[in-house]
Coordinates of all heavy atoms in Angstrom, one line a residue:
A557 N 162.5 81.9 59.7 CA 161.3 82.3 60.5 C 161.8 82.9 61.8 O 161.2 83.9 62.3 CB 160.4 81.1 60.7
R558 N 162.8 82.3 62.4 CA 163.4 82.9 63.6 C 163.9 84.3 63.4 O 163.5 85.2 64.1 CB 164.6 82.0 64.1 CG 165.3 82.6 65.3 CD 166.6 81.8 65.6 NE 167.6 82.0 64.5 CZ 168.8 81.6 64.5 NH1 169.2 80.9 65.5 NH2 169.6 81.8 63.5
D559 N 164.6 84.5 62.3 CA 165.1 85.8 62.0 C 164.0 86.8 61.8 O 164.0 88.0 62.3 CB 166.0 85.8 60.8 CG 167.3 85.0 61.0 OD1 167.4 84.4 62.1 OD2 168.1 84.9 60.0
S560 N 162.9 86.4 61.1 CA 161.8 87.3 60.9 C 161.1 87.6 62.2 O 160.7 88.8 62.4 CB 160.8 86.6 59.9 OG 159.7 87.4 59.6
M561 N 160.9 86.7 63.0 CA 160.2 87.0 64.3 C 161.0 87.9 65.2 O 160.5 88.8 65.8 CB 159.8 85.7 65.1 CG 158.6 85.0 64.5 SD 158.1 83.6 65.5 CE 159.2 82.3 64.8
V562 N 162.3 87.7 65.2 CA 163.2 88.6 65.9 C 163.1 90.0 65.4 O 163.0 91.0 66.2 CB 164.7 88.1 65.9 CG1 165.6 89.1 66.4 CG2 164.8 86.8 66.7
R563 N 163.1 90.1 64.1 CA 163.0 91.5 63.5 C 161.7 92.1 63.9 O 161.6 93.3 64.1 CB 163.2 91.4 62.0 CG 164.7 91.2 61.6 CD 164.9 91.4 60.1 NE 164.2 90.5 59.3 CZ 164.7 89.3 58.8 NH1 166.0 89.0 59.2 NH2 164.0 88.5 58.1
A564 N 160.6 91.3 63.9 CA 159.3 91.8 64.2 C 159.3 92.3 65.7 O 158.8 93.4 66.0 CB 158.2 90.7 64.1
L565 N 159.9 91.5 66.6 CA 160.0 91.9 68.0 C 160.8 93.2 68.1 O 160.3 94.2 68.8 CB 160.7 90.8 68.8 CG 159.8 89.6 69.0 CD1 160.7 88.4 69.5 CD2 158.7 89.9 70.0
L566 N 161.9 93.3 67.5 CA 162.8 94.5 67.7 C 162.2 95.7 67.0 O 162.3 96.8 67.5 CB 164.2 94.2 67.1 CG 165.0 93.1 67.8 CD1 166.3 92.9 67.2 CD2 165.1 93.4 69.3
G567 N 161.5 95.5 65.9 CA 160.8 96.6 65.2 C 159.6 97.2 66.0 O 159.2 98.3 65.7
S568 N 159.1 96.4 66.9 CA 157.9 96.9 67.6 C 158.3 97.7 68.9 O 157.3 98.2 69.5 CB 157.0 95.7 68.0 OG 157.7 95.0 69.1
R569 N 159.5 97.7 69.3 CA 159.8 98.3 70.6 C 159.6 99.8 70.6 O 159.7 100.5 69.6 CB 161.3 98.0 71.0 CG 162.4 98.6 70.1 CD 163.7 97.9 70.5 NE 164.9 98.5 69.9 CZ 165.3 98.3 68.6 NH1 164.6 97.4 67.9 NH2 166.4 98.9 68.2
T570 N 159.2 100.3 71.8 CA 158.9 101.7 72.0 C 159.7 102.2 73.2 O 159.1 102.4 74.3 CB 157.4 101.9 72.2 OG1 157.0 101.1 73.3 CG2 156.6 101.6 71.0
P571 N 161.0 102.3 73.1 CA 161.9 102.7 74.3 C 161.6 104.1 74.8 O 162.0 104.4 75.9 CB 163.3 102.6 73.8 CG 163.2 102.8 72.3 CD 161.8 102.2 71.9
N572 N 160.9 104.9 74.1 CA 160.5 106.2 74.6 C 159.4 106.2 75.6 O 159.1 107.2 76.3 CB 160.1 107.1 73.4 CG 159.0 106.5 72.6 OD1 159.0 105.4 72.2 ND2 158.0 107.4 72.3
R573 N 158.7 105.1 75.7 CA 157.6 105.0 76.7 C 158.1 104.5 78.0 O 159.0 103.7 78.1 CB 156.5 104.0 76.1 CG 155.7 104.6 75.0 CD 154.7 103.7 74.5 NE 153.7 103.2 75.5 CZ 152.5 102.8 75.2 NH1 152.1 102.7 73.9 NH2 151.7 102.3 76.2
D574 N 157.4 105.0 79.1 CA 157.8 104.6 80.4 C 157.1 103.3 80.8 O 157.7 102.5 81.6 CB 157.4 105.7 81.5 CG 158.3 106.8 81.4 OD1 159.5 106.7 81.0 OD2 157.9 107.9 81.8
D575 N 155.9 103.0 80.3 CA 155.1 101.9 80.8 C 155.5 100.5 80.1 O 155.3 99.5 80.7 CB 153.7 102.2 80.6 CG 153.2 102.5 79.2 OD1 154.1 102.8 78.3 OD2 152.0 102.4 78.9
R576 N 156.0 100.6 78.9 CA 156.4 99.3 78.2 C 157.4 99.6 77.1 O 157.5 100.7 76.6 CB 155.2 98.7 77.6 CG 154.7 99.4 76.3 CD 153.6 98.6 75.7 NE 153.3 99.2 74.3 CZ 152.1 99.0 73.7 NH1 151.1 98.4 74.3 NH2 151.9 99.5 72.5
C577 N 158.2 98.6 76.8 CA 159.1 98.7 75.7 C 158.7 97.9 74.5 O 158.9 98.2 73.4 CB 160.5 98.2 76.2 SG 161.8 98.5 74.9
F578 N 158.0 96.7 74.8 CA 157.5 95.9 73.7 C 156.0 95.7 74.0 O 155.5 95.5 75.1 CB 158.1 94.5 73.8 CG 159.6 94.5 73.4 CD1 160.5 94.5 74.5 CD2 160.0 94.5 72.1 CE1 161.9 94.4 74.2 CE2 161.4 94.4 71.8 CZ 162.3 94.4 72.9
P579 N 155.1 95.9 72.9 CA 153.7 95.8 73.1 C 153.3 94.3 73.4 O 153.9 93.4 72.8 CB 153.1 96.3 71.8 CG 154.2 96.1 70.8 CD 155.5 96.3 71.6
G580 N 152.3 94.2 74.3 CA 151.9 92.8 74.7 C 150.5 92.8 75.1 O 149.6 93.5 74.6
D581 N 150.2 92.0 76.1 CA 148.9 91.8 76.6 C 148.4 92.9 77.5 O 149.2 93.7 77.9 CB 148.8 90.5 77.4 CG 147.4 90.1 77.8 OD1 146.6 89.8 76.9 OD2 147.1 90.0 79.0
I582 N 147.1 93.0 77.7 CA 146.6 94.1 78.5 C 147.1 94.1 80.0 O 147.0 95.1 80.7 CB 145.1 94.1 78.5 CG1 144.5 92.9 79.2 CG2 144.5 94.2 77.1 CD1 142.9 93.0 79.4
R583 N 147.6 92.9 80.4 CA 148.2 92.9 81.7 C 149.4 93.8 81.9 O 149.8 94.0 83.0 CB 148.5 91.4 82.1 CG 147.2 90.6 82.3 CD 147.4 89.2 82.8 NE 147.9 89.3 84.2 CZ 147.8 88.3 85.0 NH1 147.2 87.1 84.6 NH2 148.3 88.3 86.2
Q584 N 149.9 94.3 80.8 CA 151.0 95.3 80.9 C 150.5 96.5 81.7 O 151.3 97.2 82.3 CB 151.5 95.7 79.5 CG 152.2 94.6 78.8 CD 152.8 95.2 77.5 OE1 152.3 96.1 76.9 NE2 153.9 94.6 77.1
F585 N 149.2 96.7 81.7 CA 148.6 98.0 82.3 C 148.0 97.7 83.6 O 147.4 98.6 84.2 CB 147.6 98.6 81.3 CG 148.1 98.7 79.9 CD1 147.7 97.9 78.9 CD2 149.1 99.7 79.6 CE1 148.2 98.0 77.6 CE2 149.6 99.8 78.3 CZ 149.2 99.0 77.3
A586 N 148.1 96.4 84.1 CA 147.5 96.1 85.4 C 148.3 96.5 86.6 O 147.7 96.5 87.7 CB 147.2 94.6 85.4
S587 N 149.5 96.8 86.4 CA 150.4 97.1 87.6 C 151.5 98.0 87.1 O 151.8 98.0 85.9 CB 150.9 95.9 88.3 OG 152.0 95.3 87.6
P588 N 152.2 98.6 88.0 CA 153.4 99.5 87.6 C 154.5 98.7 86.9 O 155.3 99.3 86.2 CB 153.9 100.1 88.9 CG 152.7 100.0 89.9 CD 152.0 98.7 89.5
V589 N 154.6 97.4 87.1 CA 155.7 96.6 86.6 C 155.2 95.7 85.4 O 156.0 94.9 84.9 CB 156.3 95.8 87.7 CG1 155.5 94.5 88.0 CG2 157.7 95.3 87.3
G590 N 154.0 95.9 85.0 CA 153.4 95.0 83.9 C 154.2 95.0 82.7 O 154.5 94.0 82.1
G591 N 154.7 96.2 82.2 CA 155.4 96.3 81.0 C 156.9 95.9 81.1 O 157.6 95.7 80.1
Q592 N 157.3 95.6 82.3 CA 158.7 95.1 82.6 C 158.7 93.6 82.8 O 159.7 93.0 82.6 CB 159.3 95.8 83.8 CG 159.2 97.3 83.8 CD 159.4 97.9 85.2 OE1 160.1 97.3 86.1 NE2 158.8 99.0 85.5
S593 N 157.6 93.0 83.1 CA 157.5 91.7 83.7 C 158.0 90.6 82.7 O 158.1 90.8 81.5 CB 156.1 91.4 84.2 OG 155.2 91.3 83.1
F594 N 158.2 89.4 83.3 CA 158.6 88.2 82.5 C 157.5 87.7 81.6 O 157.7 87.5 80.4 CB 159.1 87.1 83.5 CG 159.7 86.0 82.7 CD1 161.0 85.9 82.4 CD2 158.9 84.9 82.4 CE1 161.6 84.9 81.7 CE2 159.4 83.8 81.7 CZ 160.8 83.8 81.3
G595 N 156.3 87.6 82.1 CA 155.2 87.1 81.3 C 154.7 88.0 80.3 O 154.4 87.6 79.2
Y596 N 154.6 89.3 80.6 CA 153.9 90.2 79.7 C 154.7 91.4 79.3 O 154.2 92.2 78.5 CB 152.6 90.7 80.5 CG 151.9 89.5 81.1 CD1 152.1 89.2 82.5 CD2 151.1 88.7 80.4 CE1 151.5 88.1 83.0 CE2 150.4 87.6 80.9 CZ 150.6 87.3 82.3 OH 150.0 86.2 82.8
G597 N 156.0 91.5 79.6 CA 156.7 92.7 79.3 C 158.1 92.4 78.8 O 158.4 91.3 78.2

Side-chain angles (χ1 to χ4, degrees):
R558 174 190 66 175
D559 295 1
S560 181
M561 282 185 276
V562 169
R563 288 192 293 269
L565 288 165
L566 297 180
S568 73
R569 66 190 188 277
T570 55
N572 57 311
R573 289 180 55 156
D574 285 333
D575 58 343
R576 74 174 190 204
C577 186
F578 295 96
D581 190 62
I582 67 172
R583 290 187 67 158
Q584 292 188 331
F585 310 106
S587 79
V589 76
Q592 305 162 31
S593 66
F594 186 87
Y596 312 97

